[in-house]
Amino acid sequence: QQQVKQSPQSLIVQKGGISIINCAYENTAFDYFPWYQQFPGKGPALLIAIRPDVSEKKEGRFTISFNKSAKQFSLHIMDSQPGDSATYFCAGNPGRALTFGSGTRLQVQP
Amino acid sequence: EPEVTQTPSHQVTQMGQEVILRCVPISNHLYFYWYRQILGQKVEFLVSFYNNEISEKSEIFDDQFSVERPDGSNFTLKIRSTKLEDSAMYFCASSGIANTKTQYFGPGTRLLVL
C-alpha cells in the first residue's frame, strides 16, 4: 500500500519534444507529491511538487498533472533539452517518509 | 543558496566494521532524514529525526543502525557492523518549519563494504 509505481523505466526524446513520466500511488493518505531530478553521482534535487487539492502545477518548462480519483500524477517536460538528461523520481508521503518510484532515465537527444 | 553537505563522499570498509556517516543539514531546518540508494535502484527511506528523537523508521533501519545529533549542526548515521548488502549511496536530507514536507537532499556518501 506504500508503493509508488513509475513508468516508463527509460525514455528517449528529441530536443524540443515533450517528455512525459507517469506515476501511480496506492495509499490515499499520501498528501504531497514531489518530483526529483538526479544526475549521476549526485543527490536527488527537488524539481517541482504538488498537493492533491490542485490538478495541475506549472513551473517553467515543468508541469505536474494530478488526477486524485485515479491516484495518478505525471510530469511533463516541455521543450526538452539535452541538459534535462537525468533520472527522474516521483515520490509521495503521508508523513515524513518519502516513498520513491523506481525512476525514469530520460535521455534527450540533440 | 543553503545546502545539505555530507562527509565523506566515499567510504570503503571491511565487513563487520563500524562506519559513521556525517551530515550537516540546512542551518534552520529541524527535520532530518537518512535515505539509501543501492546502485541502479530507487531511493529508500531509512529514518526521520526531529526534536532529538526518531519520529519514523523503515524496516531497513534495524538494530545495527543508529542516528544522532551530537551538536547543533551535525547529524550522523552509524552502522555498527557493516554487511556486504549495506553497500549503497546514503543520502541525508532536511526540511524546515515553513514547509515540513519539502526535503532537500545532500550529495550522498558512497559506502562500499568489502
Side-chain angles (χ1 to χ4, degrees), chain B residues 3-64:
Chain B
E3 57 184 19
V4 177
T5 58
Q6 290 184 241
T7 54
S9 58
H10 295 80
Q11 174 122 23
V12 181
T13 190
Q14 295 293 320
M15 188 172 57
Q17 294 297 303
E18 174 183 286
V19 295
I20 298 176
L21 309 183
R22 291 180 167 80
C23 167
V24 179
I26 293 174
S27 63
N28 60 349
H29 284 187
L30 297 179
Y31 300 87
F32 314 118
Y33 315 85
W34 284 101
Y35 292 81
R36 78 172 187 190
Q37 185 178 32
I38 295 172
L39 187 63
Q41 297 186 24
K42 66 180 180 180
V43 179
E44 299 174 290
F45 170 76
L46 293 178
V47 65
S48 63
F49 191 86
Y50 170 72
N51 200 25
N52 284 319
E53 61 182 27
I54 291 172
S55 50
E56 278 184 71
K57 63 181 181 179
S58 71
E59 293 176 351
I60 302 168
F61 194 87
D62 60 21
D63 291 343
Q64 69 163 338

Side-chain angles (χ1 to χ4, degrees), chain A residues 6 21 23 32-39 42-49 62 64 73 75 77 84 86-93 96-101 103-105, chain B residues 33 35 37 43 92-95 99-106:
Chain A
Q6 184 171 347
I21 305 170
C23 285
Y32 177 73
F33 302 90
W35 285 89
Y36 283 85
Q37 179 189 57
Q38 186 180 33
F39 293 104
K42 304 293 184 183
L46 180 66
L47 198 58
I48 187 172
F62 302 93
I64 300 178
F73 58 110
L75 175 70
I77 306 174
D84 297 331
T87 300
Y88 292 81
F89 292 95
C90 62
N93 63 337
R96 300 275 168 242
L98 280 171
T99 299
F100 282 83
T104 296
R105 182 170 292 188
Chain B
Y33 315 85
Y35 292 81
Q37 185 178 32
V43 179
C92 174
S94 69
S95 60
N99 188 346
T100 60
K101 294 278 193 179
T102 301
Q103 298 182 24
Y104 297 91
F105 283 72

